[in-house]
Amino acid sequence: MLCVLAAAGTASTRALEPTTLLGSYGRQWWVMENGMPQNTVHALAQTRDGFLWIGTEVGLVRFDGHSFLVLDEHTEPKLPSGDIRCLLTTDDGALWIGTSDGLARLKNGTVRVYTEKDGLPSDVIRNLGLSAHGRIWVNTASGSIEIDHEIVDSKSLYAGNRPPGEESDLAVHSPDGGWASATATMLVIGHGGRKDAQLSIGRELPGTKIQELYADREGSLWIGTNAGLVRWANGKLEKLPVTDPLANASVLTILEDHEGDLWVGTETDGLHILRDERFKTFGAREGLSSDNTTAVVEDKAGTLWVGTNGDGLNALKHDPNGKLSVRVLHVRDGLMSNVILALAAAPNGDVWVGTPDGLNRIHEGRVTGFTSADGLPDDFVRSLLADADGSLWIGTRRGLTHWINAGTGHAMVTVTQAGGLGSDLVGAMEHDTNGDLWVATLAGLSRLKSGKTEQNAITNYTTANGLPSNVVTALLPRAAGAMLIGTQDHGWSLWNGAKFVAVNDSRLQQTSVYAILADAENHFWFATDNGIARCDETGTATCGRWLKFGPADGLRSRETATNSHPSAWRSHDGLLWFATPKGLVEIDPAHFPVNDVVPPVALESFTVDDVPRPVNVPSEIQAGHVHFQFDYAGLSFVAPQKVRYRYMLEGFDKDWTEADTRRTAYYTNIPPGKYTFRVQAANNDGLWNTEGARLQFELKPHFYQTLWFYVLLSLCMAGLVVLYLKRRLLRAEREFSAVLGERNRIAREVHDTLAQGYVGISVQLEVLAELLRHNKVDAAAKHLDTTRSYVREGLADARQSIWALRSQDSGEKTLPVELRRVTEHAEGHGLETKFSLFGAYRALGPETEREILRIAQEALHNVKKHAQAAHVFVQLEYGPEEIALEVRDDGRGFDRDKGEGTRPGHYGMTGMRERAETIGGRLEVTSEPGAGTTVRLTVHAPKTAKE
């Protein structure tokens, strides 16, 4: 008993053509040697997302057309067993998997397992199906059960009877009322209540057991036995040729996918796919004298004549039974050469053959030959055209010859370049519907009005007249005098009866077109330098849907015949024939399968720095990751190698990246942010899935990449700027205060010394002037001496001020040394000085030491000018926490309570206090009348290295 398969997803618009011979389908198969994990295929299913699932004895296999992914009891997600017995898909996108150790449901990448613990009669699953009331029917080794998959998460299990039809081993039904029922040895086929046929194993059916039945969308019944695959179609049974791999294979399962292709799983021969064959090719293996065909034409009797490149001429004819017969003519049969360059079929049934060595005529089976000795301008005959009036046009390397009443000995008229033809080298020739003859030459197109050869009847056209190229290789007449023109390397264009119109199609701009045909289905067909192509006829100089075909579509080669005429032909039955170096290709436009199924697109994997991430939910990725890889697949199995892709990372890319057939996208060093990766795919016939697949993820920033960090950084920068400006302002204020203080000091010194001295000198000079005016010489001399002493004292005061200014700029000596010098300099004029130092010297800031020195200078200056002292003591003490400066004299002192010492106009004490405040010190002045004065300055001491 095998699994009943319920296909889910979008229905195909096509299926395998039932009229095609069973052995004529295109095919491909996979075994262990080319990727399958095992050659035994028990079950097949296709889920809604487009993946093909293959049940084997070593695991469940997911197939995307290129690679196989195996799931079993050791993988993630984990299955209950790798021994897969049957598969079932449901409309919700789930895949139900019957194994030898339980039932599993795979949905959205998650597996749910059901065993006997959940209520199953047995863990050995034999069959799966959908019951009439929509539940999942499970046939186990110990009986059957139904599961309501709508509420499966609640583990609701329902015991049920066997579905209708289980009494038969196999049963299928078609939408039109057809049915088939089979036991292991007997197949009954009918419609409605009528029985149409009964087939038995060992008689009509091969083998000893019927193992699978499958009804496709076209109504054909596929029958798998243990000894081959057969088909019931159109009321008859069809078998494969004995040479076919499936002719004797044990068929276990059959499935028609969304695109209408048929998959066949076998017991020992792997997995097979049958596809509608677009092209039939006739070559040496099919009976032709050679694969290298050059020209093709059909005669009046329906015989197809095929020229080859060195192996003569073939005449193909189908007998009433459809069997193909081939007759070959060679040089020994009268041909001028076995290399055939041109063919033409005359209205009277004659066939004309052009070769490099002359011209042949086949008349009623008899072959005759003609050469330049018979009037031809050259024996190298490149093209032929039989006219309706019985005449023959012959294209050679040395001109165009019109043989009137050809074959009867009448005259040949030759026209060359000298006679008005575009070039002597003549190629394709065709009559348009107006009766004009168009001749392709090496130098463009020549049109002979009404087929006349007179020079005034010939018009030549080149690129100057709108042709895309002067090398014209193909012609196809259309209605109303129009003509399609194929060229070398420049695609094709249209003569619309009045002018040449370039075809607006970039796909043909650099393509060589060697032949053009039109079918009855409104399509143009092209033999090109890159295979055979088809486009929809639009009635204008445009090409509709463009389809390009190559080996992936069934052609043996992309090459087509060149330099021979005609290399393509449409026969009276509507079939199209193309000569190629790998055989003669037959196309049936009326039964040409085009894939109109939009391919599902799946993201198969997403890795960040080589670590896998989930693909079905948005991801949040921490900062620091740099390498992002996306693997995707367009799930079209008609021609997987032709599926094309384009992708975009929204938030980073500005436009789509055309990936052609590449199935991986890479990104490196993208900035932090929210992104959506999108990928779209086109099937083998260019139909795009514009919805595609997408994955959202967010790359988190480093802390230094966040907005709040930049805000904080901006605030810090602003704070630093403000702090810098504030410090500069404070420094400027300190410098200004220092300058102002110095100005005040100088002002005080000038006021207390120089100004007072100058006043005394001025007074003495006034007195001296009066004495001299009264001739009191002795008194004048005495006042002169006084004036001299005042001047000397003023000079001394000036020198003292200048020395004080210079001393503040000296940074070479320490504070004790400077204080000792200042103290010693103050000695004289009856004043004795003494300097004492206590404690270990510790350097202060230059500004601090300078202000201490200036305070000492000011104190000594006051002692000299005002104290009338005999002794002054200067003491500097370096204590643990403070540095103290003390200037003590034994002068007359003053009374602080009466405001002495701070008289208006005297600024010495004020200046010292200002300097003390500048360096953060404390200034104390103690004095009593008659007991001298003590000035004490204390400054906070800096800590030592030990502290």
Side-chain angles (χ1 to χ4, degrees):
M1 177 89 61
L2 293 187
C3 300
V4 177
L5 300 180
T10 305
S12 171
T13 58
R14 51 173 289 274
L16 291 183
E17 178 62 54
T19 59
T20 302
L21 293 176
L22 187 54
S24 300
Y25 289 114
R27 61 184 57 242
Q28 188 176 0
W29 63 92
W30 295 266
V31 290
M32 293 181 67
E33 286 73 18
N34 60 353
M36 276 285 289
Q38 190 192 35
N39 289 340
T40 301
V41 178
H42 282 291
L44 293 168
Q46 187 176 28
T47 45
R48 189 171 56 187
D49 57 12
F51 282 109
L52 183 75
W53 298 90
I54 308 162
T56 73
E57 295 176 353
V58 296
L60 176 66
V61 183
R62 190 189 75 180
F63 186 44
D64 61 8
H66 294 272
S67 59
F68 299 90
L69 175 68
V70 180
L71 301 178
D72 56 24
E73 65 271 28
H74 305 295
T75 61
E76 288 296 334
K78 184 182 295 185
L79 298 180
S81 170
D83 185 7
I84 310 301
R85 300 296 181 88
C86 50
L87 299 172
L88 172 72
T89 59
T90 52
D91 291 337
D92 61 354
L95 176 68
W96 292 84
I97 307 151
T99 77
S100 60
D101 288 311
L103 175 67
R105 184 190 69 167
L106 175 62
K107 185 177 181 181
N108 297 328
T110 303
V111 170
R112 174 79 181 274
V113 177
Y114 302 91
T115 63
E116 292 181 14
K117 297 178 180 179
D118 302 291
L120 292 179
S122 169
D123 287 343
V124 179
I125 311 299
R126 291 180 174 178
N127 207 342
L128 292 171
L130 289 176
S131 66
H133 43 281
R135 292 174 179 165
I136 298 170
W137 168 68
V138 185
N139 183 18
T140 74
S142 299
S144 300
I145 197 170
E146 287 186 1
I147 298 177
D148 188 343
H149 62 280
E150 294 296 331
I151 54 173
V152 71
D153 291 333
S154 65
K155 302 180 183 178
S156 298
L157 302 174
Y158 300 86
N161 297 321
R162 299 174 70 179
E166 190 187 346
E167 289 75 10
S168 299
D169 285 335
L170 298 166
V172 296
H173 300 269
S174 63
D176 62 356
W179 55 269
S181 178
T183 63
T185 59
M186 181 74 68
L187 171 64
V188 179
I189 303 171
H191 191 279
R194 183 183 70 246
K195 176 181 174 181
D196 294 329
Q198 180 174 307
L199 308 176
S200 300
I201 281 289
R203 295 176 60 185
E204 297 87 1
L205 300 177
T208 60
K209 182 181 179 182
I210 299 173
Q211 301 184 136
E212 177 68 319
L213 293 182
Y214 194 92
D216 67 19
R217 298 184 186 97
E218 292 290 342
S220 298
L221 178 66
W222 298 86
I223 307 146
T225 75
N226 63 348
L229 177 71
V230 295
R231 180 179 69 173
W232 178 268
N234 302 317
K236 61 180 181 180
L237 188 68
E238 298 176 343
K239 296 182 180 181
L240 291 162
V242 294
T243 57
D244 192 283
L246 289 175
N248 299 294
S250 177
V251 177
L252 300 181
T253 182
I254 303 172
L255 173 72
E256 187 179 34
D257 66 22
H258 298 168
E259 295 173 296
D261 301 317
L262 197 76
W263 296 83
V264 181
T266 69
E267 188 171 7
T268 59
D269 296 295
L271 177 67
H272 297 245
I273 183 174
L274 302 181
R275 307 182 178 106
D276 271 323
E277 193 171 45
R278 291 178 161 182
F279 305 98
K280 293 181 180 179
T281 303
F282 298 89
R285 73 181 74 169
E286 288 77 23
L288 293 185
S289 61
S290 170
D291 285 339
N292 195 351
T293 59
T294 56
V296 57
V297 73
E298 184 185 33
D299 66 14
K300 182 180 180 180
T303 300
L304 203 66
W305 296 86
V306 183
T308 68
N309 187 16
D311 288 284
L313 180 66
N314 296 263
L316 280 67
K317 186 75 174 179
H318 284 91
D319 61 22
N321 296 322
K323 186 177 180 180
L324 180 68
S325 63
V326 180
R327 180 167 64 96
V328 182
L329 300 178
H330 292 91
V331 171
R332 61 177 176 268
D333 300 303
L335 290 181
M336 305 298 295
S337 170
N338 285 332
V339 177
I340 311 301
L341 298 178
L343 293 170
N348 63 353
D350 291 352
V351 175
W352 294 90
V353 184
T355 76
D357 298 318
L359 177 67
N360 286 106
R361 183 179 72 164
I362 303 175
H363 176 71
E364 297 179 352
R366 188 168 60 90
V367 180
T368 55
F370 307 90
T371 65
S372 54
D374 300 293
L376 293 177
D378 184 22
D379 289 339
F380 197 95
V381 178
R382 299 186 72 249
S383 59
L384 296 168
L385 178 64
D387 218 334
D389 60 4
S391 63
L392 181 69
W393 296 91
I394 307 165
T396 73
R397 295 177 302 180
R398 293 183 170 84
L400 172 67
T401 297
H402 188 200
W403 190 353
I404 303 171
N405 293 325
T408 62
H410 288 111
M412 298 182 183
V413 179
T414 299
V415 59
T416 63
Q417 186 174 359
L421 202 64
S423 169
D424 286 342
L425 189 63
V426 176
M429 298 180 288
E430 289 288 351
H431 282 290
D432 65 19
T433 56
N434 295 327
D436 296 339
L437 178 67
W438 292 80
V439 181
T441 74
L442 195 62
L445 268 177
S446 295
R447 183 176 68 170
L448 280 61
K449 190 67 175 177
S450 301
K452 297 179 180 179
T453 56
E454 292 81 3
Q455 187 167 357
N456 59 4
I458 300 175
T459 305
N460 293 312
Y461 302 96
T462 65
T463 54
N465 305 104
L467 273 177
S469 170
N470 284 337
V471 182
V472 176
T473 50
L475 296 170
L476 177 67
R478 306 303 292 157
M483 185 75 67
L484 296 186
I485 302 141
T487 68
Q488 179 80 30
D489 297 329
H490 289 80
W492 61 290
S493 64
L494 169 70
W495 169 262
N496 63 8
K499 63 179 181 179
F500 295 98
V501 181
V503 176
N504 186 21
D505 195 327
S506 60
R507 294 164 295 193
L508 280 172
Q509 287 179 355
Q510 297 180 343
T511 300
S512 295
V513 177
Y514 302 122
I516 309 174
L517 295 177
D519 63 20
E521 310 296 325
N522 295 320
H523 302 124
F524 290 134
W525 295 80
F526 303 89
T528 76
D529 56 353
N530 194 32
I532 295 174
R534 190 193 86 170
C535 76
D536 297 339
E537 184 177 356
T538 62
T540 61
T542 58
C543 201
R545 183 178 179 183
W546 176 262
L547 303 178
K548 185 172 63 176
F549 310 108
D553 303 284
L555 290 175
R556 295 179 183 176
S557 171
R558 290 187 183 276
E559 292 183 90
T560 56
T562 61
N563 299 319
S564 54
H565 304 281
S567 61
W569 190 263
R570 176 181 170 182
S571 56
H572 71 281
D573 54 7
L575 298 179
L576 306 182
W577 304 86
F578 288 88
T580 79
K582 297 295 183 180
L584 180 68
V585 175
E586 175 195 337
I587 301 173
D588 183 358
H591 299 89
F592 189 84
V594 175
N595 190 357
D596 290 321
V597 178
V598 174
V601 186
L603 274 168
E604 296 189 310
S605 68
F606 171 41
T607 57
V608 180
D609 290 337
D610 298 326
V611 177
R613 306 281 299 191
V615 297
N616 52 1
V617 294
S619 294
E620 187 175 279
I621 302 167
Q622 297 304 313
H625 295 286
V626 294
H627 300 291
F628 301 83
Q629 178 176 328
F630 304 86
D631 295 294
Y632 44 82
L635 300 172
S636 173
F637 297 99
V638 174
Q641 60 270 46
K642 287 189 68 178
V643 176
R644 293 183 292 122
Y645 303 92
R646 59 191 178 202
Y647 61 81
M648 172 194 293
L649 186 60
E650 292 182 347
F652 182 78
D653 290 329
K654 301 298 183 184
D655 203 352
W656 292 95
T657 298
E658 298 294 337
D660 196 35
T661 59
R662 181 164 50 88
R663 300 172 62 243
T664 301
Y666 303 94
Y667 288 88
T668 303
N669 294 322
I670 62 176
K674 294 183 178 180
Y675 298 97
T676 299
F677 177 78
R678 296 185 59 195
V679 58
Q680 299 177 355
N683 66 13
N684 58 306
D685 286 335
L687 184 62
W688 283 94
N689 181 340
T690 56
E691 179 62 25
R694 64 184 66 206
L695 171 66
Q696 294 179 337
F697 68 95
E698 180 179 3
L699 177 60
K700 291 292 186 180
H702 290 282
F703 74 93
Y704 53 79
Q705 295 174 312
T706 59
L707 178 61
W708 64 263
F709 174 79
Y710 285 108
V711 172
L712 182 60
L713 183 62
S714 300
L715 292 175
C716 291
M717 292 296 294
L720 290 175
V721 171
V722 170
L723 180 61
Y724 172 74
L725 293 176
K726 188 173 182 180
R727 291 193 63 181
R728 288 202 61 181
L729 180 60
L730 291 175
R731 181 178 178 184
E733 290 177 349
R734 286 196 301 269
E735 291 177 352
F736 179 75
S737 298
V739 172
L740 183 60
E742 189 64 18
R743 289 181 62 187
N744 291 337
R745 186 193 68 79
I746 294 173
R748 290 192 296 270
E749 290 184 355
V750 170
H751 179 272
D752 292 343
T753 57
L754 295 177
Q756 295 296 329
Y758 290 150
V759 170
I761 293 171
S762 176
V763 171
Q764 291 298 322
L765 289 176
E766 290 288 342
V767 174
L768 181 61
E770 286 295 324
L771 292 174
L772 289 176
R773 189 166 59 83
H774 293 89
N775 293 318
K776 295 179 179 181
V777 178
D778 293 337
K782 182 179 179 180
H783 281 282
L784 182 59
D785 291 337
T786 302
T787 302
R788 288 176 181 150
S789 66
Y790 285 168
V791 170
R792 284 194 296 272
E793 290 179 359
L795 288 173
D797 289 337
R799 291 192 185 99
Q800 178 69 20
S801 297
I802 293 171
W803 178 84
L805 288 172
R806 289 180 176 176
S807 67
Q808 70 180 353
D809 299 327
S810 177
E812 298 177 359
K813 298 181 180 179
T814 62
L815 178 61
V817 174
E818 293 289 350
L819 278 176
R820 184 182 296 278
R821 188 175 65 174
V822 168
T823 303
E824 292 174 352
H825 186 74
E827 189 170 2
H829 301 285
L831 178 66
E832 293 184 6
T833 62
K834 183 179 181 181
F835 174 75
S836 301
L837 176 65
F838 296 93
Y841 167 73
R842 278 176 286 175
L844 304 175
E847 183 178 352
T848 302
E849 291 192 350
R850 183 169 61 248
E851 294 300 331
I852 293 173
L853 180 61
R854 297 306 298 275
I855 291 172
Q857 286 178 329
E858 186 65 31
L860 290 171
H861 181 72
N862 288 338
V863 170
K864 291 177 62 178
K865 290 300 181 182
H866 306 294
Q868 299 177 4
H871 300 87
V872 63
F873 302 94
V874 178
Q875 177 180 306
L876 180 62
E877 180 181 356
Y878 286 92
E881 297 182 356
E882 290 184 336
I883 296 175
L885 170 67
E886 186 175 286
V887 180
R888 185 175 71 254
D889 66 71
D890 57 359
R892 62 187 180 88
F894 60 90
D895 190 350
R896 292 179 56 84
D897 296 336
K898 295 181 179 180
E900 296 181 5
T902 57
R903 292 173 292 173
H906 295 265
Y907 305 104
M909 193 65 68
T910 302
M912 286 191 293
R913 293 188 185 281
E914 291 176 352
R915 292 182 188 278
E917 291 175 359
T918 301
I919 60 176
R922 185 174 69 254
L923 185 70
E924 297 178 355
V925 179
T926 58
S927 181
E928 292 182 6
T933 302
T934 299
V935 176
R936 182 177 178 81
L937 171 68
T938 56
V939 180
H940 181 72
K943 292 183 179 298
T944 63
K946 183 177 181 180
E947 295 174 317

